[in-house]
Amino acid sequence: MGTPKDQLAQPEKTKVKDGLSAEEIAKMEQEMESLDHDFKAIEESYGENMLNLTLARGYIRRLIDNAKVVRHLNGNHPDIFSEFEPIAAAETS
């Protein structure tokens, strides 16, 4: 019932059962196409996002390894330093 007629082996034999109407099936197919498109867009940007995250984490680790930077951040920007510590400590999954 849910297969489009152009994909059926015998499209002339249509089954009639209680359930979803043709409009409801068409709406579900449209929603599935929309979800598939959104998923592909997320999938395409995932690699670039992971690269950016890895580079940023490495940069923050290098900053925290510098004693002068740590002293400055602790003295002038403790809120930023408290956010940097868990980022620098995070391991790559």
Side-chain angles (χ1 to χ4, degrees):
M1 279 191 56
T3 306
K5 287 187 179 185
D6 62 333
Q7 294 180 1
L8 291 173
Q10 298 173 339
E12 60 279 350
K13 293 183 180 180
T14 57
K15 295 180 182 178
V16 179
K17 290 188 179 178
D18 293 334
L20 300 174
S21 67
E23 293 84 23
E24 291 171 325
I25 292 172
K27 185 175 181 180
M28 286 178 58
E29 288 174 350
Q30 183 181 13
E31 289 175 4
M32 287 299 296
E33 287 176 16
S34 175
L35 287 172
D36 187 47
H37 179 267
D38 292 346
F39 182 77
K40 286 181 182 177
I42 291 169
E43 198 174 46
E44 288 174 3
S45 66
Y46 178 78
E48 185 177 341
N49 290 342
M50 286 303 295
L51 176 62
N52 290 336
L53 176 61
T54 302
L55 293 173
R57 185 175 38 231
Y59 182 73
I60 290 171
R61 281 183 185 158
R62 290 185 66 192
L63 286 175
I64 293 199
D65 286 344
N66 187 324
K68 290 181 182 181
V69 171
V70 170
R71 194 171 32 242
H72 173 78
L73 288 175
N74 271 327
N76 299 313
H77 307 283
D79 53 330
I80 294 174
F81 183 71
S82 67
E83 295 294 328
F84 278 0
E85 285 182 308
I87 293 171
E91 291 296 320
T92 308
S93 303

